[in-house]
């Protein structure tokens, strides 16, 4: 199949089937409907895989309606395919396929609406990843945002999902308005919506005030989608209340979509402009935002009672690290981030799937106490084989996110530190603190759930066990919103026999992350793709139909000989942090109490009130505008 046919099909196929399922899905037998949805997601993944393979030596361009450029100016909408964009679209389609397979055993009945939403999400993600037109990027951005809001409120008859969806919708709508403001201002300045033509119009010129405001508006919109601090307050409510299969897409690609948008718009539109002070100021600003986000995510992960909210903050922590890498504004650092996005995305998705199984087999166990809230919640079920297996998957995933070799995360992190140059030691410290804290929180939750479930099993067998730990007031973090009982208990199957079917996709995702880390020549291949992504003259040439200039790939920096030992030390440190957070020892309790007292102000900022979230979003927008004014003028 020629690539000129594959490009539009990668978006048209999931959209067409989504429309069919939305219109007639409930009239079809459930098996037929689910098989059609899964097959469509898998076919979309195959199409994106063909695009990835075809973009290795070229950069295919598809013009909708045959509207080719005239006199060097684009008059139509184009898809300009590159390896990073096609790879990102492939990742979203793979995760959608896994999520739909998992949903077959997770839900009693999916109905036609749920798979249709998932397919629209994938189509929007692919459209955003491939588009060479800024307004068409906005269309993909909105498709993803709207379907994500609906998926968050999928069980809107319960209070928590409804509030999470409303908060998400309000902040996403503000991001939408910022995106439109940026588009309008850039169009007024350049008289085009094509990314290559915008970049050509700005190349070599100093940026005027309107263009700086446009950049700030676009950056704020993308950082809202990525949930970068202080734009991140919607994230824990969305991740904590959406159905578990939907969280696979959220954690794997939705936040990363904002990071991709920052990289795409910077490289194609703004990188060629004349910046009197260079791009160093922007690098500092983005790296600071990424570092703060990573550390906030790590601290807040350790303060959560509910596992999925905890995983939401783990996702936040790693998204901050991606922005830290992209903020370096080099192709080699972007290559490292690409490896991290794939490796971490597969692992985080698998952990969310395992969290759904863990909830079913171990109950809503509070990771700070024996069970429920202050030990007075639902009784803890005995630890079953399915429960133990799900906790094991979560533990392995936490270690993988803590850079345990040979998972892909370790490879990406080592390349990022090496690519940072003189920033390397600072990047190493921020990265280590972030992954140790966030993964340690997950390991602590796993240990407490395992201990509580095992204690019940031993008690049922007639063996004496120590009483469950009861938290003291100074060791008691504020409560979080409850996971939705109607979702986890009433609408999902609860038969323990389904544990194997539910855990198989999670195990496959972790195995995929391991396989990516073991791929030979991974770093040079991704570095070449990133160099092409950052080559703005080549992008302009391929859109205009001119011959491609020779690709210049920067030499890969040498990874320090002790990098693997550092990675192993980070994973072991996460285990130590998890042991301290889970320990009943008096000294450990004192450490936790001191940490809770020191970070209580941060926990109070996460009030869950939409007014507070909008206030912080406004503060973030003003800060980003100040950063743009200082860095680009």
């Amino acid at each position: 199949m020629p690539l000129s046919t594959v490009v539009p099909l990668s978006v048209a196929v999931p959209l067409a089937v989504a429309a069919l399922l939305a219109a007639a899905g409930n009239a079809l037998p459930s098996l037929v409907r689910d098989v059609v949805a899964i097959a469509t997601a898998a076919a979309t993944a195959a199409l994106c895989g063909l695009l990835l393979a075809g973009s290795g030596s070229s950069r295919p361009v598809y013009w909708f309606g045959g509207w080719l450029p005239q006199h060097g100016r684009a008059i139509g909408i184009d898809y300009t395919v590159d390896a990073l964009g096609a790879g990102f679209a492939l990742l979203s389609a793979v995760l959608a396929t896994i999520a739909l397979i998992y949903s077959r055993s997770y839900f009693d009945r999916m109905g036609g609406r749920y798979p249709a939403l998932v397919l629209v999400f994938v189509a929007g993600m692919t459209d955003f990843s491939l588009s060479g037109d800024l307004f068409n990027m906005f269309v993909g951005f909105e498709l993803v945002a709207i379907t994500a809001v609906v998926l968050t409120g999928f069980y809107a008859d319960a209070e928590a999902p409804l509030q999470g969806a409303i908060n998400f919708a309000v902040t996403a709508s503000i991001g939408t308005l910022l995106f439109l403001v940026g588009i309008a201002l850039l169009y007024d300045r350049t008289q085009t919506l094509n990314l290559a033509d915008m970049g050509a119009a700005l190349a070599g010129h100093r940026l005027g005030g309107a263009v700086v405001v446009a950049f700030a508006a676009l950056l704020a919109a993308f950082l809202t989608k990525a949930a970068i601090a202080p734009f991140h307050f919607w994230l824990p409510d969305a991740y904590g209340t959406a159905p578990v299969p939907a969280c696979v897409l959220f954690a794997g690609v939705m936040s990363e979509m904002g990071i991709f948008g920052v990289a795409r718009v910077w490289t194609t539109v703004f990188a060629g402009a004349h910046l009197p002070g260079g791009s160093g100021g922007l690098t500092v600003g983005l790296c600071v935002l990424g570092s703060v986000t990573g550390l906030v995510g790590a601290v807040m992960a350790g303060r959560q009672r509910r596992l999925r909210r905890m995983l939401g903050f783990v996702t936040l922590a790693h998204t901050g690290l991606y922005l830290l890498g992209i903020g370096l504004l080099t192709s080699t650092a972007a290559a490292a981030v690409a490896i991290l996005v794939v490796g971490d995305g597969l692992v985080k998705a698998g952990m969310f799937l395992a969290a759904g199984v863990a909830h079913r087999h171990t109950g809503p166990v509070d990771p700070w106490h024996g069970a429920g809230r202050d030990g007075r919640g639902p009784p803890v079920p005995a630890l079953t084989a399915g429960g133990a297996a799900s906790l094991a998957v979560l533990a392995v995933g936490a270690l993988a996110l803590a850079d345990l070799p040979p998972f892909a995360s370790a490879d990406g992190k080592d390349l990022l530190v090496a690519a940072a140059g003189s920033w390397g030691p600072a990047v190493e410290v921020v990265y280590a603190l972030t992954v140790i804290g966030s993964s340690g929180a997950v390991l602590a939750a796993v240990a407490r759930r395992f201990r509580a479930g095992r204690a019940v099993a031993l008690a049922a067998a007639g063996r004496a066990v120590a009483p469950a730990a009861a938290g003291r007031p100074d060791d008691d973090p504020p409560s979080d919103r409850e996971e939705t009982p109607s979702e986890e208990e009433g609408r999902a199957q609860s038969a323990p026999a389904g544990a194997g079917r539910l855990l198989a996709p999670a195990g496959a995702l972790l195995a995929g992350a391991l396989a990516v880390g073991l791929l030979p020549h991974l770093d040079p291949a991704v570095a070449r793709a990133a160099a092409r992504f950052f080559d703005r003259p080549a992008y302009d040439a391929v859109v205009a139909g001119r011959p491609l200039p020779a690709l210049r790939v920067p030499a890969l920096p040498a990874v320090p000989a002790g990098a693997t030992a550092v990675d192993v030390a980070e994973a072991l440190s996460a285990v130590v942090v998890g042991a301290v957070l889970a320990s009943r020892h008096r000294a450990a309790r004192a450490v936790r109490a001191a940490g809770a007292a020191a970070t209580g102000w941060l926990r109070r900022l996460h009030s869950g009130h939409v007014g507070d979230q909008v206030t912080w979003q406004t503060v973030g927008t003003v800060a980003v505008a100040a950063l743009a004014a200082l860095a680009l003028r």
Side-chain angles (χ1 to χ4, degrees):
M1 183 183 298
L3 284 180
S4 59
T5 303
V6 173
V7 174
L9 285 179
S10 62
V11 175
V13 167
L15 279 181
V17 177
L20 173 65
L21 292 176
N26 290 331
L28 297 173
S30 61
L31 179 60
V32 173
R33 179 185 60 239
D34 298 343
V35 168
V36 167
I38 294 169
T40 302
T44 304
L47 292 171
C48 293
L50 291 175
L51 293 179
L52 178 60
S55 62
S57 57
S58 63
R59 214 167 189 171
V61 180
Y62 176 84
W63 293 95
F64 286 87
W67 289 87
L68 300 175
Q70 299 293 326
H71 308 293
R73 296 281 290 182
I75 58 175
I77 297 174
D78 70 303
Y79 279 166
T80 303
V81 182
D82 57 73
L84 292 191
F88 190 58
L90 173 61
L91 176 63
S92 66
V94 167
L95 293 182
T97 305
I98 295 294
L100 289 170
I101 292 173
Y102 180 91
S103 299
R104 278 284 301 160
S105 298
Y106 183 81
F107 294 107
D108 283 330
R109 290 184 70 254
M110 282 196 290
R113 181 179 55 167
Y114 171 79
L117 288 170
V118 172
L119 292 178
V120 171
F121 185 101
V122 172
M125 192 67 68
T126 304
D127 178 72
F128 185 87
S129 303
L130 303 181
S131 181
D133 183 277
L134 188 58
F135 191 82
N136 197 49
M137 285 182 69
F138 168 77
V139 173
F141 185 90
E142 278 302 283
L143 280 177
V144 171
I146 293 171
T147 52
V149 168
V150 176
L151 286 170
T152 300
F154 197 72
Y155 293 117
D157 52 343
E159 179 182 356
L162 179 60
Q163 181 175 342
I166 291 174
N167 292 359
F168 188 5
V170 170
T171 54
S173 297
I174 296 174
T176 294
L177 292 175
L178 291 170
F179 203 147
L180 288 174
V181 168
I183 291 174
L185 291 174
L186 278 177
Y187 182 77
D188 179 69
R189 169 64 176 81
T190 63
Q191 300 300 303
T192 182
L193 293 172
N194 184 270
L195 295 176
D197 285 353
M198 284 182 172
L202 299 179
H205 300 287
R206 293 190 64 169
L207 299 180
V211 177
V212 171
V213 173
F215 176 77
L218 292 173
L219 184 58
F222 291 137
L223 296 185
T224 298
K225 176 66 69 178
I228 297 299
F231 301 91
H232 71 284
F233 290 92
W234 61 267
L235 182 142
D237 289 342
Y239 282 64
T241 58
V244 168
C247 291
V248 170
L249 300 174
F250 293 0
V253 290
M254 189 172 71
S255 293
E256 290 78 359
M257 178 185 186
I259 304 298
F260 182 88
V262 172
R264 172 72 80 192
V265 171
W266 169 256
T267 56
T268 57
V269 178
F270 297 98
H274 173 63
L275 305 178
S279 59
L282 182 62
T283 292
V284 172
L286 293 178
C287 288
V288 169
L289 285 174
S291 300
V292 170
T293 302
L295 297 175
V296 167
V299 170
M300 288 301 299
R303 298 299 311 277
Q304 301 308 300
R305 288 177 178 267
R306 300 298 171 182
L307 185 56
R308 280 199 287 137
R309 285 177 62 90
M310 181 182 293
L311 293 179
F313 279 109
V314 171
T315 299
L316 173 68
H318 284 264
T319 305
L321 297 177
Y322 307 153
L323 182 63
L324 173 61
I326 290 297
L328 296 173
L329 302 180
T330 66
S331 64
T332 308
V337 172
I339 296 172
L340 287 170
V341 166
V342 174
D344 290 356
L346 294 174
V347 171
K348 289 181 295 186
M351 292 174 72
F352 269 103
L353 296 184
V357 182
H359 185 101
R360 180 169 308 172
H361 285 265
T362 66
V365 181
D366 188 329
W368 289 87
H369 296 294
R373 181 165 299 194
D374 298 330
R376 297 190 296 270
V380 183
L383 188 66
T384 63
S390 64
L391 295 178
V393 171
L394 283 166
V396 172
L399 291 174
L401 293 181
D403 300 332
L404 180 68
F407 283 94
S409 299
D411 183 29
K413 176 257 182 179
D414 292 340
L415 181 58
L416 177 59
V417 172
S422 60
W423 289 70
V427 171
E428 179 75 70
V429 170
V430 171
Y431 206 106
L433 292 175
T434 299
V435 299
I436 290 171
S438 56
S439 291
V442 176
L443 292 172
V446 167
R448 287 179 177 269
R449 285 188 176 220
F450 182 86
R451 186 169 61 204
R454 182 173 178 273
V456 173
L458 293 176
R463 297 173 58 183
V465 294
R472 298 189 309 186
D474 60 355
D475 189 21
D476 187 10
S479 60
D480 296 319
R481 181 174 293 110
E482 296 281 354
E483 292 175 352
T484 311
S486 59
E487 172 196 343
E488 300 290 355
E489 297 169 9
R491 305 192 185 187
Q493 297 175 5
S494 58
R501 294 193 301 271
L502 288 168
L503 282 176
L509 288 168
L510 265 63
L514 181 63
V516 171
L518 293 173
L519 285 176
H521 312 299
L522 175 65
D523 290 1
V526 180
R528 182 178 180 84
R532 192 178 296 277
F533 185 92
F534 268 68
D535 191 344
R536 194 190 64 79
Y539 185 90
D540 293 350
V542 72
V543 171
R546 301 192 300 269
L548 276 174
L551 177 65
R552 297 186 299 273
V553 182
L556 283 175
V559 175
T564 300
V566 173
D567 295 338
V568 173
E570 288 177 358
L572 293 177
S573 299
V575 174
V576 172
V577 169
V580 171
L581 291 176
S583 174
R584 300 174 180 174
H585 193 275
R586 180 177 299 176
R589 294 169 66 87
V591 171
R592 294 200 298 269
T599 60
W601 63 273
L602 183 59
R603 177 60 183 83
R604 289 189 291 273
L605 290 180
H606 294 76
S607 64
H609 298 155
V610 68
D612 294 344
Q613 295 178 6
V614 171
T615 299
W616 281 108
Q617 191 173 16
T618 304
V619 170
T621 302
V622 172
V624 166
L627 167 63
L630 293 174
L632 304 184
R633 295 297 301 275

